[in-house]
Amino acid sequence: MKNILVTGGAGFIGSHVVRRLVRQYPQYQIINLDALTYAGNLENLSDIQDATNYTFVKGNICDASHLDEIFSQYQIDAVVHLAAESHVDRSITDPLAFVQTNVIGTASLLNAAKKYWNGNYTDKRFYHVSTDEVYGSLGETGFFYENTAYDPRSPYSASKAGSDHLVRAFYHTYKMPVVISNCSNNYGPNHFPEKLIPLSINNILQKKPLPVYGKGENVRDWLYVLDHAHAIDVILHKGVTGETYNIGGHNEWKNIDLIRLLCKLMDEKLGQAPGTSEQLITFVTDRAGHDLRYAIDASKLKDELGWLPSVTFEQGLSQTIDWFLENKEWLDHVTSGDYQAYYEKQYANNH
Ligand code: NAD
Ligand code: DAU
């Protein structure tokens, strides 16, 4: 593989994937295709923007003719597809945007790859990055396995499930060499502050309420984003064509316990009296259709490809907070403008 098209590389996870590939593989050309929606930010990649093996292309994965140009101009050998609308709450207010990008966009990208490769699949790969949310919601016990039946319950997860099905359809119908991974909740540097952890860090800094949906009893399995980028690298290179790999941290937290831990760490780092940040916790109206629990069994990835997470949650969370404290300018930039309007609307009835 020489020329790798990464989609959504200016987003949270995509930027860590792009940086890893650019640095680890100087012999590859990394082409980052991103529409720069509200979630895309080239500041995430300022440290590698001048690398000789990196090219940024602004464009939309739904734009078929632009995709054709990109595949031929850069002679694409492999695709790592991360571009998506990714926030569940936004999918509840605007489901069609999710169908457009996640379903139509993925179909367009598959179709462009099919046309360009034209049945010659030697050393080619289409890697689709997906989510554990396609498996639905667990009760208090059990795990998601690669063969767990799909049961998506939000417009976001339904659109991601649709994209996964399309990828598998191209494998079965056209023999396209695909690989899919389904990962649990990521956290870390560059995380957009609409999601629970960065939103809470930002609100503690602003001394604003910390909105906890419902009773805070919902459980998520958290993985440090650099560990996800490492897993993607491993699967891109060693994953078996046609296979699916679950990626997770074996690190389940109830939202309320996670927020309390975050508050404790923030108080320590900000030199505040213990309990200062916890006073900001505010229970608010629950998310519609809120999935109770996600938990990934990642033993296939460990046993077959040797991947394991490298940091504990306490280490990862501490490094994440340090990054946000050292990058207040980044936070200022992404929380101005559109973000303010989104925030007022999303939390309007609660405070
Ligand atoms: P993000 O919202 O931070 O970034 C998405 C990126 O895609 C942005 O840079 C955006 O500009 C770009 N984009 C959106 N629509 C586009 C379009 N039509 N054409 C081109 N680019 C477009 O998302 P993220 O959290 O980094 O997630 C990346 C991928 O990983 C997504 O596919 C998501 O479903 C999946 N995933 C995310 C998580 C998580 O916890 N964040 C966990 C598992 C899987
Ligand atoms: O599981 C993987 C998924 O994780 C990814 O596919 C998604 O792209 C990603 O956004 C994430 O989805 P979640 O809905 O789990 O993440 P979010 O950070 O939005 O919410 C985490 C939990 O916190 C969830 O139970 C809802 C809750 N929550 C969230 C927000 C934004 C709150 O209690 N208050 C909030 O203000």
Side-chain angles (χ1 to χ4, degrees):
M1 286 181 294
K2 287 192 218 78
N3 302 321
I4 302 186
L5 178 66
V6 179
T7 70
F12 166 47
I13 302 170
S15 60
H16 289 281
V17 171
V18 165
R19 178 176 299 99
R20 184 180 175 97
L21 295 178
V22 165
R23 288 204 176 141
Q24 299 276 122
Y25 303 100
Q27 71 276 30
Y28 293 172
Q29 279 298 322
I30 308 301
I31 296 96
N32 172 13
L33 170 65
D34 197 298
L36 298 182
T37 68
Y38 79 92
N41 182 355
L42 289 177
E43 267 184 82
N44 294 346
L45 291 165
S46 51
D47 56 326
I48 55 122
Q49 67 187 4
D50 296 325
T52 51
N53 64 337
Y54 171 69
T55 305
F56 173 71
V57 179
K58 185 172 188 297
N60 195 311
I61 55 165
C62 300
D63 183 344
S65 56
H66 195 191
L67 290 178
D68 289 344
E69 271 173 41
I70 292 167
F71 272 84
S72 349
Q73 180 178 349
Y74 297 102
Q75 301 175 31
I76 299 300
D77 300 300
V79 177
V80 182
H81 175 36
L82 296 112
E85 289 292 340
S86 69
H87 190 38
V88 174
D89 292 325
R90 288 184 189 254
S91 82
I92 294 168
T93 44
D94 187 8
L96 290 190
F98 285 68
V99 174
Q100 183 63 29
T101 288
N102 300 356
V103 182
I104 307 289
T106 301
S108 308
L109 198 58
L110 284 162
N111 211 37
K114 173 180 160 292
K115 273 204 288 182
Y116 178 68
W117 292 335
N118 193 24
N120 177 5
Y121 292 134
T122 313
D123 294 331
K124 303 292 187 287
R125 171 143 280 192
F126 190 105
Y127 181 170
H128 177 58
V129 176
S130 193
T131 171
D132 61 357
E133 301 200 10
V134 297
Y135 298 122
S137 180
L138 290 164
E140 286 184 4
T141 57
F143 293 96
F144 296 136
Y145 300 90
E146 283 81 0
N147 61 0
T148 299
Y150 274 31
D151 182 23
R153 295 149 49 99
S154 74
Y156 164 68
S157 54
S159 67
K160 289 296 290 187
S163 66
D164 294 10
H165 290 317
L166 281 162
V167 173
R168 291 197 180 96
F170 272 63
Y171 170 65
H172 289 292
T173 308
Y174 307 113
K175 313 292 173 225
M176 184 173 288
V178 309
V179 67
I180 300 180
S181 59
N182 295 82
C183 187
S184 63
N185 286 61
N186 285 217
Y187 70 97
N190 308 94
H191 205 179
F192 195 83
E194 63 187 353
K195 311 280 168 66
L196 180 67
I197 290 178
L199 181 140
S200 302
I201 293 172
N202 187 35
N203 284 16
I204 290 171
L205 292 173
Q206 309 284 328
K207 305 200 185 320
K208 279 168 64 174
L210 305 179
V212 175
Y213 295 163
K215 294 183 179 153
E217 298 282 312
N218 304 67
V219 175
R220 296 293 182 264
D221 169 4
W222 294 93
L223 178 68
Y224 194 51
V225 66
L226 274 83
D227 280 331
H228 189 190
H230 176 214
I232 289 173
D233 181 353
V234 169
I235 294 167
L236 174 68
H237 289 93
K238 300 204 282 183
V240 175
T241 296
E243 290 291 312
T244 294
Y245 297 89
N246 279 353
I247 311 173
H250 266 287
N251 177 39
E252 292 181 47
W253 285 79
K254 267 189 189 164
N255 290 339
I256 188 63
D257 296 337
L258 161 56
I259 293 302
R260 291 207 170 107
L261 171 64
L262 185 71
C263 287
K264 178 174 158 287
L265 291 173
M266 286 293 285
D267 286 345
E268 285 168 13
K269 290 188 189 274
L270 294 171
Q272 298 178 160
T276 306
S277 298
E278 269 206 27
Q279 288 171 8
L280 298 170
I281 292 177
T282 309
F283 292 95
V284 302
T285 312
D286 208 354
R287 173 184 280 173
H290 197 172
D291 289 341
L292 178 66
R293 175 172 166 260
Y294 306 141
I296 278 280
D297 182 299
S299 45
K300 176 176 173 181
L301 184 55
K302 170 171 153 278
D303 296 344
E304 295 185 12
L305 304 186
W307 174 89
L308 275 174
S310 70
V311 295
T312 65
F313 192 44
E314 282 73 7
Q315 286 167 335
L317 204 50
S318 173
Q319 286 170 27
T320 301
I321 296 171
D322 290 344
W323 185 87
F324 277 93
L325 294 179
E326 285 157 18
N327 290 276
K328 287 198 178 136
E329 218 173 74
W330 181 93
L331 203 48
D332 287 345
H333 290 170
V334 299
T335 51
S336 56
D338 286 353
Y339 176 81
Q340 289 298 349
Y342 164 80
Y343 196 91
E344 296 309 324
K345 201 170 156 209
Q346 172 66 15
Y347 298 99
N349 300 326
N350 292 303
H351 33 85

